[in-house]
Amino acid sequence: MAYRWKSNLTERDVTPQSVYLNRRALLGGVAGLGLAGLAGQGRAQDGELVPNSWEDITTYNNFYEFGTGKGDPVKNAGQMTTSPWTVTIDGLVDRPGDYAFEDIMSRMTVEERIYRFRCVEAWSMVIPWNGFELSDLLEMAGVKSAAKYVAFETLYRPEEMPGVRFPVLDWPYVEGLRLDEALHPLTIMATGIYGRDLPNQNGAPLRLVVPWKYGFKSIKSVVRITLTDTQPPTSWNKSAPREYGFYSNVNPEVDHPRWSQATERRVGGGLFARNEPTLMMNGYAEEVASLYTGMDLAENF
Ligand code: MTE
């Protein structure tokens, strides 16, 4: 199975990475793990996803508010204050307001989701997130029937974010989903990785994760969620509309204007790792393809 959701947590779900991998090696045999490594870390032979290491996940990042280099966020994001943190939920909701992060957490059920993560730049990882379903948060605020879209906004705090001095994007970083995408049970707000709080460079204290879409849809360090009846603007679409559409579903058949999306390079795959084929909707087509019935996916890229 490519992911787990709504599953009962097993002991493995709360096992630290090192113990988890050791136990896998014991269970599957060291040779099995080695073979999986050679074939490209992450594609274990039994079809189970092997997560990337904590090191891979937390040191190779995109968080342009802290610089555009992959190593900039881990270097610079430590300055971001994440406590206190409030999320404003407004627009077409019954209970608009500024919700304290702790209050949100006390009302949400956190579970582990091991998801593939595919960046539009053609690298990928497998990440064991901890988080809760976005639909539960939206239910808390009460979505009005006129709402059709959900808009998200990242913190904008120039004194703590060296990257926003540069007009790489129109700050603050904004993203959006159609309401049915936002309510899909695969869509989560992540608050941790490997059972630990989300590090700043990964979007602390809470960030969106939409596993069937390119990584840039998974907006970090969210401070505002707005329910609207019109399609919201999104940062990468505003900056290069020909290259980044509103939907941005992972699709190996629709190339980026400047590179192929047919394959991906697994971060941490090692010297011998070959590019792997990219899967339609990042391997989640069975769950989400029906959201796009009747739509031309090349046109609505
Ligand atoms: N969110 C904000 N606010 N700023 C960003 O630059 N980068 C996006 C996305 N969310 C980004 C962001 C991109 S391009 C990717 S691939 C993922 O975050 C990277 O997430 P990760 O660093 O946790 O792997």
Side-chain angles (χ1 to χ4, degrees):
M1 201 153 87
Y3 66 93
R4 276 174 298 136
W5 58 288
K6 285 282 189 211
S7 60
N8 295 325
L9 288 183
T10 64
E11 189 197 349
R12 199 186 68 192
D13 295 322
V14 289
T15 306
Q17 182 204 345
S18 52
V19 182
Y20 171 80
L21 290 177
N22 274 331
R23 199 172 298 158
R24 258 194 74 85
L26 285 175
L27 289 174
V30 178
L33 194 71
L35 249 180
L38 262 186
Q41 193 191 12
R43 298 275 161 97
Q45 286 179 314
D46 56 5
E48 196 186 329
L49 293 175
V50 177
N52 276 83
S53 68
W54 171 263
E55 173 85 6
D56 287 344
I57 299 167
T58 62
T59 63
Y60 187 94
N61 299 102
N62 278 333
F63 199 166
Y64 279 17
E65 287 85 337
F66 297 99
T68 54
K70 294 286 179 282
D72 290 338
V74 65
K75 250 190 296 163
N76 300 328
Q79 335 168 23
M80 177 170 66
T81 313
T82 58
S83 176
W85 192 273
T86 52
V87 182
T88 301
I89 307 183
D90 60 4
L92 297 170
V93 290
D94 299 325
R95 293 174 287 281
D98 296 336
Y99 291 86
F101 177 67
E102 291 74 19
D103 292 344
I104 293 174
M105 290 304 276
S106 70
R107 295 165 71 170
M108 297 292 125
T109 307
V110 172
E111 55 184 301
E112 185 183 69
R113 301 286 181 94
I114 301 175
Y115 282 163
R116 300 170 197 280
F117 189 85
R118 170 51 160 90
C119 179
V120 76
E121 298 165 334
W123 54 264
S124 65
M125 296 199 206
V126 173
I127 305 183
W129 302 106
N130 310 97
F132 52 83
E133 290 184 12
L134 175 59
S135 67
D136 289 340
L137 184 65
L138 297 181
E139 196 183 311
M140 186 186 83
V143 177
K144 286 188 190 288
S145 58
K148 293 196 180 72
Y149 295 90
V150 187
F152 302 84
E153 192 178 304
T154 292
L155 177 74
Y156 175 73
R157 198 179 282 152
E159 63 277 20
E160 295 180 2
M161 295 175 150
V164 304
R165 282 196 305 250
F166 307 99
V168 199
L169 290 169
D170 184 14
W171 313 108
Y173 196 102
V174 290
E175 256 306 336
L177 295 173
R178 226 170 50 191
L179 182 61
D180 58 346
E181 298 176 318
L183 295 177
H184 194 280
L186 284 176
T187 303
I188 59 167
M189 296 303 295
T191 55
I193 294 167
Y194 275 117
R196 294 159 68 173
D197 287 347
L198 211 56
N200 285 3
Q201 63 270 26
N202 292 87
L206 84 170
R207 58 93 61 89
L208 181 69
V209 176
V210 194
W212 70 93
K213 293 179 179 284
Y214 290 119
F216 67 83
K217 297 293 288 184
S218 292
I219 181 172
K220 295 180 168 181
S221 303
V222 171
V223 291
R224 182 183 288 267
I225 299 177
T226 307
L227 280 289
T228 79
D229 57 3
T230 45
Q231 185 175 300
T234 63
S235 284
W236 283 101
N237 178 256
K238 279 196 287 181
S239 104
R242 275 187 57 258
E243 302 190 3
Y244 310 103
F246 175 79
Y247 285 95
S248 295
N249 294 321
V250 174
N251 189 339
E253 291 161 17
V254 176
D255 287 338
H256 186 279
R258 292 183 279 129
W259 60 84
S260 163
Q261 294 292 28
T263 62
E264 63 200 56
R265 176 183 64 86
R266 187 65 191 284
V267 171
L271 210 52
F272 301 107
R274 268 176 296 172
N275 278 4
E276 298 172 13
T278 286
L279 304 173
M280 181 57 104
M281 299 191 182
N282 206 24
Y284 303 98
E286 206 179 299
E287 289 81 11
V288 297
S290 64
L291 296 174
Y292 310 102
T293 306
M295 283 174 59
D296 179 339
L297 296 180
E299 206 172 297
N300 299 282
F301 62 99

